Amino acid sequence: MDASDELVRRLSLKRSDKLGHLSPEGFAELERSVSKNPSLFVDDEHEAAFLEVGKALARIEDSRDEEENLDDDAYLRARRHHLDRLVADCDRALSLDPGCVDARLLRVLAADQDPNEALGLLLELQQEVEEQDGPLVVPDSGDAWDDVFSRPRLRLDAAVARTCFDGARYRLAESSCRSLIEHAPSDLLGARLTCSLALARLEDEKGLNALDVRFRRAGNAWMHLSRALLMFKLDRLGAAQRAIMGFANLCEGGAYLLVHPTYVDIYLPDRPSFKPGSFEESLLAVHEADPIVVDTPDFVAWASTLPEFVAKAQGFDDGADAGW
């Protein structure tokens, strides 16, 4: 979530409405002015709360940099302290605007609780928001993401889908993802990524193929890993081998991470950004796939019998040790 850019856009649109019709050049100049000091343009409780959310997220990001070199016990203490502070920051935002969706979403996520408990709270929030604001309105562009004021609801919907998946509610995760993609087909929140994993767990090859085609077979770590898992679960080991080697060859560190899962902190509130094909992409995909990898206990053991896969994992490990 790029709260800073989003705040500038929100403030610029609201100030533009007050000023009356602005030319594209005039609006661009307004945005430049707002970006220099957004707080000067905050003049209602909604944007004041959103500003607090942005500050809270910036503090969390800074704290994660500070925690990198701590030992495990110190890390856990620092992490809990920063999450507790995030809850307090969200409460401050909600004191300004009790309806701030991002603050309410972050408050649930920061509790870092069992997925089923979190899902209940998120579904309640989702229902409250729909009752208060009505159905999500898709602008003329056909993509709700283009309306910056709809983005908090889209982030909430994406969090619901991921939490459904984490809580083994795979059919609900799939339907939540499909709804999100229909409302925001650009899918900048990556609902297709969660959806691919859910379809693999449901052993829905037709659905996975259709999803792949819808996004022009662009390929990503989630799709490669989902296809490998699906083919393995269907006992089509030749296809599974081709898919897992695609994952190993195209996704940096993918083979290594599958054999050596690495800790990833909770998303606050959405999936971190990554470059396609990067180690960060592989890290996030393996982390998110963990519920179905664990539910398919022979999968990693089988992959570890493939000499090419083992060589990719070992090669990455050796390179990391050498500081490449």
Side-chain angles (χ1 to χ4, degrees), residues 12 15 36 38 42 44 57-58 99 172 179 205 219 251 302 308 323:
S12 299
R15 184 56 59 96
K36 291 176 182 176
V42 172
D44 67 42
L57 290 174
L172 185 55
S179 175
E205 183 179 7
C251 305
W302 163 79
E308 301 93 338

Side-chain angles (χ1 to χ4, degrees), residues 51-164:
L51 177 62
E52 290 300 319
V53 168
K55 290 178 180 177
L57 290 174
R59 280 192 286 269
I60 281 286
E61 195 61 33
D62 291 342
S63 72
R64 284 176 170 170
D65 292 339
E66 296 168 2
E67 293 163 3
E68 276 189 359
N69 298 319
L70 298 177
D71 63 43
D72 288 350
D73 289 341
Y75 171 82
L76 290 174
R77 287 194 300 271
R79 177 180 181 272
R80 187 65 260 167
H81 168 75
H82 293 305
L83 289 177
D84 288 344
R85 179 169 181 179
L86 176 60
V87 170
D89 289 338
C90 289
D91 286 342
R92 183 162 45 255
L94 291 169
S95 71
L96 298 169
D97 175 15
C100 181
V101 175
D102 283 310
R104 296 184 68 185
L105 170 59
L106 282 166
R107 204 181 188 292
V108 173
L109 298 176
D112 196 18
Q113 56 198 313
D114 175 81
N116 290 311
E117 293 179 7
L119 179 60
L121 295 172
L122 292 175
L123 290 175
E124 286 179 14
L125 175 56
Q126 199 176 45
Q127 183 176 352
E128 285 181 38
V129 171
E130 183 163 353
E131 289 174 353
Q132 177 180 312
D133 299 340
L136 189 66
V137 177
V138 178
D140 292 341
S141 68
D143 194 323
W145 188 258
D146 293 338
D147 176 9
V148 70
F149 299 104
S150 293
R151 292 181 188 179
R153 291 184 64 172
L154 296 174
R155 283 190 283 270
L156 170 59
D157 292 346
V160 166
R162 289 193 305 272
T163 307
C164 286

Side-chain angles (χ1 to χ4, degrees), residues 167-207:
R169 298 170 184 260
Y170 301 114
R171 188 64 69 187
L172 185 55
E174 180 207 0
S175 62
S176 298
C177 289
R178 292 194 182 281
S179 175
L180 186 53
I181 291 168
E182 288 302 316
H183 285 118
S186 61
D187 194 32
L188 294 179
L189 289 171
R192 69 193 183 283
L193 309 178
T194 307
C195 193
S196 67
L197 293 173
L199 290 166
R201 176 60 181 80
L202 293 166
E203 300 183 18
D204 186 350
E205 183 179 7
K206 183 178 178 180

Side-chain angles (χ1 to χ4, degrees), residues 258-271:
L258 193 58
V259 178
H260 303 284
T262 301
Y263 174 79
V264 175
D265 209 346
I266 55 177
Y267 297 167
L268 295 171
D270 48 12
R271 183 182 288 109

